[in-house]
Amino acid sequence: MKTAVVGGGAAGFFLAVNLKEMAPQMEVTIYERSQHVLRKVGISGGGRCNCTNTFEDVSDLSAVYPRGHRLMRRLFGMFGHREAMRWFESHGVSLTVQADHCVFPASQDAQTIVRCFTSTARRLGIRVVTGQRIGSLSELSDYDFVAITTGGAPRAEMLEWLTEAGHRVVEPVPSLFSLTIDDSSLHALTGTVAEQASVLIPGTRLRAAGPLLITHWGVSGPAILRLSSVAARHLYENNYRSPLSINWTGLTAAQAAERLHELARQHGSRQPRNARLTELPQRLWEHLLAKSIDDKAQLTWRELGSKNLNRLANTLTNYTCQIAGRAPFKDEYVTCGGIALSDVNPHTMESRVVPRLFFAGEVLDIDGITGGFNFQAAWTTAYAAARGIAEYEMERQ
């Protein structure tokens, strides 16, 4: 029996290796269209590879998987983050857990993961063919099973060969990207980080929280990447033009006002720029002062009065600016959309349209926020597909 795995990325290698371990007699071949396998794994996480997450602060998977959370909840009973961590450890990759629950190889080098996959594939006798583009299922007619692990498709036409076979495709759009902001005064703060920010798109329920990085084009960092994930389709449909509200403190307006009044009581004779909220960087604090009470900047805390303190509290918690587009370079690593999950068996990842055809990874309409969740989706769906194929082989034997 022979299996072709189309796509030499994270899901492809994880599927191939697990299938070969489950069904040693299976001949497995990975086809990769480029000259290099596992490219995204090698550059992910700044070259460190955030390979999963402990999920310790995740009470609802929909918070980290805007699309596909129901399927992921079902599949986690088979292979979740704990199983993934044990798998890597058992295959020679020591792991380390950060305070934010992100999991990395202890080496802090993504090549550790890459080498794990490539060396294990060699040891198991998995054939890897690079520079080979597959454009039709008919090209793989010699194989008993086919697994599609081609990753996210930036354009729907890249999946035409699968729609021609009868599958429905949810239109792919970018996810996990930085935002361009039309605010030159904000650009002057390039490199500044607000550690406890939250962001939302006014008039919607689309919001996210986490550190926010000010860049020379706009805003980035975990808070923005998470927002871009949950709001991917909304932003796409609005041509990446939308108001954006930033809460720099994570406090409510009332809590911020209370903190400011406390500062006024403690430092009444000092000017606000010289006695700030400690969680905000000095440059950002001065910028927010200028935005809200610039004409009163020379006054002391005591002289500001409640009206100005409330204006400042509103600026701290509801700083509104205009999204002018995605970042000026193609930095998105993830797309939302892909093969409709209704076309896939939720237990085995087998196509409901074409027998013995399986899917795993980002080619499916599953995507997560930043933090190791997308790689976990790759491991989970790839394991399920490998088991689904292996069960066919076991039944045959």
Side-chain angles (χ1 to χ4, degrees), residues 123-145:
R123 175 175 59 79
L124 294 173
I126 295 169
R127 181 170 169 246
V128 179
V129 179
T130 58
Q132 180 69 55
R133 181 183 181 276
I134 303 297
S136 170
L137 291 177
S138 62
E139 298 176 38
L140 302 170
S141 57
D142 290 342
Y143 288 89
D144 301 286
F145 306 96

Side-chain angles (χ1 to χ4, degrees), residues 382-395:
Y383 184 90
R387 198 171 84 164
I389 297 171
E391 286 174 352
Y392 268 106
E393 174 68 359
M394 288 185 284
E395 289 173 4

Side-chain angles (χ1 to χ4, degrees), residues 3 15 42 44 56 62 100 133 140 159 165 195 197-198 201 203 226 238 256 270 287 314 320 359 366 376 381:
T3 295
L15 191 161
S44 67
E56 285 186 22
S62 65
D100 60 0
R133 181 183 181 276
L140 302 170
L159 298 175
E195 294 287 352
S198 60
I201 296 177
R226 290 168 186 166
N238 286 276
R270 301 177 66 184
H287 172 76
N314 182 66
T320 302
F359 295 97
I366 302 174
Q376 183 58 53
T381 55

Side-chain angles (χ1 to χ4, degrees), residues 243-320:
L244 175 69
S245 175
I246 303 174
N247 182 329
W248 300 100
T249 64
L251 303 170
T252 65
Q255 290 170 333
E258 183 179 346
R259 290 281 303 279
L260 294 176
H261 279 85
E262 180 62 27
L263 279 174
R265 286 191 292 271
Q266 293 179 353
H267 307 286
S269 61
R270 301 177 66 184
Q271 291 181 340
R273 65 167 51 92
N274 297 322
R276 61 182 169 86
L277 290 179
T278 55
E279 57 264 44
L280 293 178
Q282 182 68 31
R283 286 201 303 161
L284 177 57
W285 173 251
E286 292 183 6
H287 172 76
L288 297 173
L289 287 175
K291 281 286 186 179
S292 56
I293 57 169
D294 187 42
D295 57 336
K296 309 287 193 305
Q298 302 306 314
L299 299 179
T300 65
W301 274 113
R302 185 180 297 113
E303 293 168 332
L304 282 178
S306 293
K307 182 178 180 179
N308 288 313
L309 292 179
N310 291 335
R311 284 174 58 192
L312 178 55
N314 182 66
T315 301
L316 289 170
T317 58
N318 185 26
Y319 182 103
T320 302

Side-chain angles (χ1 to χ4, degrees), residues 61-69 175 226 229-231 365 367-369:
L61 287 183
S62 65
V64 294
Y65 292 107
R67 289 149 292 269
H69 60 275
S175 182
R226 290 168 186 166
S229 179
V230 299
D365 185 23
D367 64 285
I369 66 172

